Amino acid sequence: MSEKINTFSKTQTETLQTVEGPDVPPGYKRTEVGVIPEDWKIIPIGELFVVKAGGDFNPERSSATQDEKHPYPIYANGLDAEGLHGFCDYAEAQGGSITVTARGTLGVAFFRESAFTAIGRLLVLQPTSPLDGRYYAQYINTCVRFAIESTGVPQLTAPQIVRHLLPYPPLHEQHAIAEVLSDVDGLIEALDKLIAKKRAIKQAAMQQLLTGKIRLPGFSGEWEVRRLGNILQLQYGKSQKGIAEEGGEYPILATSGIVGKTNQYLYDKPSIIIGRKGTIDTPFYIDVPFWPIDTTFYAVISDKYSPKFIFYLLTTINWQSYNEASGVPSLSADTVHSIEVFIPARVEEQTAIATVLSDIDAEIEALERRREKVKQIKRGMMQELLTGRIRLVRPATEKEETPKEPKA
């Protein structure tokens, strides 16, 4: 699929026309929604769709899971799982419609391929004319900013959005644009699933390798119980006041990660940063010279132990159970030093386990970078394709019967 995305200009387009500069180029026109192709129309939402808000649902006819008796999704005004709330035995909206969040986070559109029921403040846009709902869901999310007229809790209503103007490309062009963007979405979804799978593999590997339940080839012998104070000594970070320099060589570290740069460092060996106040449950590993701020500890680790293995071991600890404050979470060095851990006696086994887990982390990071690159490509494609600045033109030999389009 990624090859198809990377080469879409060769496989799905005949001609690319790009709109640049302040002047309107030949073949384009200036409209209320910006510069668009001359053969695109401008139509209010209320003429393309019937817009209505969701209502209540019948609990006696619904289920938390989908089955033969409850085949229709229930969508609510939320973003998690695209607003999926459950399933029911009846549908109040037709497939091919769009939902738009209308309370809380406003104006997020989802294309709904199959029939469904909407509840709460969720707005449903049901097409009244031939159109591709995938195109319009992408367009709303990318190009539309609905004005909020209500006071109090922000919300959208049907009368507010029906007057909003949208472009109407020829139907075959809507399909072409939607197909390209759907292919990109498919690639992103595939990467999401692969990343989730790799994370699950890592979690399983940690549960087995960090407890000694599974031993790597070539290693045997008993593991030992050690207090962290025999493995490492925590040192206090220092204020970054006066040492921060833009373009500095070394990172300034907080529990959230890099918060600045400096040309000085406090420690230059592999270490682990642990939150002392505030965020205490997300230790992270650092192997370059660094300056930790004063709300953190940094670990000075004995040469008898693998720093990376100790880091992975610390990520399995329930740090909140060691919190010593009723307000802002806090840890003391003495408390951390007193924690007992189960650890291989040989540093070679520690290093081997850390290498396995590091390799999985590297795979996950590579996939995450690839996913972000694809998302960046999609953002650029949407701005160009959804507005007609770049057009997808079918080959002249390809014929299609175009359905009747709405009147402008």
Side-chain angles (χ1 to χ4, degrees):
M1 184 180 292
S2 60
E3 182 179 355
K4 183 178 181 181
I5 299 303
N6 292 332
T7 62
F8 82 96
S9 62
K10 295 181 181 179
T11 61
Q12 298 191 28
T13 68
E14 181 74 10
T15 304
L16 296 182
Q17 295 178 322
T18 304
V19 179
E20 297 178 349
D23 297 328
V24 178
Y28 288 81
K29 60 185 175 183
R30 193 178 303 279
T31 71
E32 296 92 329
V33 299
V35 176
I36 61 173
E38 285 184 342
D39 58 336
W40 288 24
K41 302 174 183 178
I42 300 295
I43 303 173
I45 286 178
E47 292 186 20
L48 290 174
F49 302 91
V50 172
V51 182
K52 60 181 180 180
D56 297 327
F57 73 101
N58 187 342
E60 296 180 357
R61 300 176 61 184
S62 65
S63 170
T65 57
Q66 190 175 34
D67 54 34
E68 290 184 2
K69 186 178 178 181
H70 306 93
Y72 300 108
I74 301 172
Y75 293 115
N77 196 72
L79 301 182
D80 292 342
E82 297 188 355
L84 183 63
H85 184 75
F87 300 90
C88 60
D89 63 2
Y90 61 98
E92 295 182 341
Q94 66 192 31
S97 298
I98 298 169
T99 62
V100 177
T101 55
R103 190 176 180 89
T105 302
L106 305 179
V108 179
F110 292 108
F111 173 70
R112 309 299 187 183
E113 185 172 2
S114 58
F116 63 96
T117 292
I119 62 174
R121 292 298 316 157
L122 189 66
L123 292 178
V124 178
L125 282 61
Q126 294 193 146
T128 60
S129 305
L131 56 80
D132 194 317
R134 299 172 301 168
Y135 168 85
Y136 282 102
Q138 299 272 18
Y139 186 88
I140 289 171
N141 288 332
T142 305
C143 305
V144 174
R145 296 294 178 268
F146 293 111
I148 308 304
E149 301 172 358
S150 55
T151 59
V153 179
Q155 60 183 15
L156 287 174
T157 64
Q160 283 176 254
I161 75 167
V162 293
R163 301 186 302 270
H164 202 96
L165 298 175
L166 299 178
Y168 186 91
L171 189 58
H172 72 278
E173 193 164 2
Q174 294 180 36
H175 292 328
I177 294 170
E179 285 295 329
V180 171
L181 297 180
S182 292
D183 284 346
V184 184
D185 285 337
L187 178 56
I188 293 171
E189 182 179 355
L191 288 170
D192 285 339
K193 290 179 179 178
L194 187 54
I195 290 169
K197 181 179 179 180
K198 291 290 185 181
R199 286 175 176 164
I201 291 172
K202 177 190 171 184
Q203 186 63 31
M206 290 177 66
Q207 291 173 353
Q208 300 295 324
L209 295 175
L210 295 177
T211 60
K213 293 179 180 178
I214 290 181
R215 307 291 292 276
L216 293 176
F219 295 103
S220 59
E222 297 295 323
W223 284 28
E224 303 172 339
V225 175
R226 288 282 185 269
R227 296 165 71 93
L228 283 179
N230 299 129
I231 297 171
L232 57 81
Q233 290 293 307
L234 295 185
Q235 306 294 322
Y236 288 86
K238 293 185 178 181
S239 171
Q240 72 269 41
K241 185 177 180 180
I243 61 100
E245 295 186 39
E246 186 175 349
E249 183 177 357
Y250 308 113
I252 300 173
L253 300 178
T255 52
S256 59
I258 298 175
V259 294
K261 290 293 184 106
T262 179
N263 284 319
Q264 306 176 48
Y265 61 82
L266 203 56
Y267 194 60
D268 64 349
K269 295 181 179 180
S271 183
I272 302 161
I273 305 297
I274 300 174
R276 185 170 66 85
K277 290 184 178 180
T279 304
I280 64 172
D281 57 356
T282 55
F284 65 90
Y285 180 77
I286 182 75
D287 59 2
V288 297
F290 63 94
W291 184 285
I293 69 170
D294 52 6
T295 58
T296 68
F297 292 120
Y298 66 96
V300 176
I301 301 169
S302 168
D303 293 338
K304 298 178 181 179
Y305 300 93
S306 161
K308 197 64 177 288
F309 176 87
I310 300 304
F311 159 69
Y312 284 119
L313 201 59
L314 295 189
T315 64
T316 67
I317 293 174
N318 179 10
W319 291 101
Q320 292 296 339
S321 67
Y322 296 98
N323 176 29
E324 300 179 341
S326 58
V328 177
S330 299
L331 289 174
S332 72
D334 288 342
T335 295
V336 176
H337 290 158
S338 69
I339 297 174
E340 292 185 337
V341 294
F342 194 44
I343 190 169
R346 294 175 57 190
V347 69
E348 292 84 1
E349 185 172 5
Q350 299 170 27
T351 301
I353 293 171
T355 299
V356 170
L357 298 177
S358 294
D359 288 346
I360 300 174
D361 276 339
E363 292 177 6
I364 293 172
E365 291 170 3
L367 288 170
E368 289 174 336
R369 288 193 298 270
R370 184 182 175 196
R371 178 180 60 183
E372 182 55 34
K373 182 178 180 180
V374 173
K375 286 182 176 180
Q376 291 176 355
I377 291 172
K378 183 191 173 186
R379 286 192 287 268
M381 291 172 65
M382 287 192 299
Q383 290 291 339
E384 302 298 308
L385 297 178
L386 294 171
T387 59
R389 293 172 62 186
I390 289 180
R391 302 196 67 178
L392 303 177
V393 180
R394 299 281 182 98
T397 58
E398 190 172 338
K399 297 183 180 180
E400 176 183 352
E401 182 180 350
T402 303
K404 183 180 179 182
E405 299 171 2
K407 297 179 180 179

